[in-house]
Amino acid sequence: MKRQLVMFLALAATLAATAYLALQPEDDGSSVAMAVPLKRVAASVPVAAPAAARPEPVARAPWTALTPTALQAWAPPPPPTPPPRKALAAPPVDPATLVEAPKPGPPAFPYRWIGRLEQEGASIALLDGPQRSLGVQAGQVLDGQWRVERITHDRIELVWLPTGELLALDSR
């Protein structure tokens, strides 16, 4: 309740001050400068100042040339020099303990064997891959990595060309 009374009194004081100022006689403008809104000019139409109001260009001396030390003051500092590297000596290796790393095996064959066809005495294997399906014959190269060696009624033999390893796909 007290809060409402304070708000009501503040409103009444604001209204009284507004009415007081509105009822005051007009001033001639000599004592206080008042802001008077000017007519707005379209923003797209440039207004040129009268020629008499424009200042004349003043001749001035050219800039002095900077000395090399003054130019260096504006350059970024050079990066810090890295600490010297310590030479790391490899531990001695016993040749008898060296083991050859195993050769990587062929990756998973990217196609699935979905069937076989006999056409004019030649076997054609039908393969389904993630992007295409195709029919292949013995001796054909797939994707530049696999060569079809032999197609039988229940098996396809492929050679992975990078290592020459043989891979066999059996029918389901």
Side-chain angles (χ1 to χ4, degrees):
M1 182 72 178
K2 185 176 179 180
R3 182 176 179 189
Q4 289 177 345
L5 181 63
V6 171
M7 294 298 284
F8 180 73
L9 291 176
L11 177 63
T14 304
L15 289 175
T18 304
Y20 173 75
L21 289 175
L23 296 176
Q24 293 296 316
E26 292 284 327
D27 194 12
D28 61 356
S30 60
S31 61
V32 177
M34 296 183 67
V36 178
L38 297 176
K39 288 184 180 178
R40 291 187 175 242
V41 178
S44 62
V45 179
V47 178
R54 290 187 182 156
E56 291 296 320
V58 179
R60 63 177 180 196
W63 294 97
T64 58
L66 293 176
T67 62
T69 32
L71 286 174
Q72 285 179 344
W74 289 98
T81 56
R85 289 187 171 186
K86 295 179 182 178
L88 298 176
V93 178
D94 183 18
T97 61
L98 289 179
V99 177
E100 271 192 52
K103 291 182 180 178
F109 187 60
Y111 296 96
R112 186 172 53 108
W113 185 19
I114 57 173
R116 185 176 64 87
L117 222 208
E118 289 288 330
Q119 188 175 20
E120 298 175 7
S123 289
I124 298 174
L126 302 174
L127 303 174
D128 180 40
Q131 297 178 352
R132 63 183 177 153
S133 296
L134 58 137
V136 295
Q137 293 180 341
Q140 213 172 345
V141 177
L142 298 171
D143 301 335
Q145 295 185 3
W146 300 94
R147 183 177 62 233
V148 179
E149 283 295 306
R150 184 171 46 201
I151 302 170
T152 63
H153 73 282
D154 62 345
R155 172 181 234 164
I156 299 175
E157 293 179 0
L158 304 153
V159 173
W160 189 46
L161 297 177
T163 61
E165 289 186 53
L166 187 67
L167 174 73
L169 291 178
D170 292 323
S171 65
R172 299 179 196 181

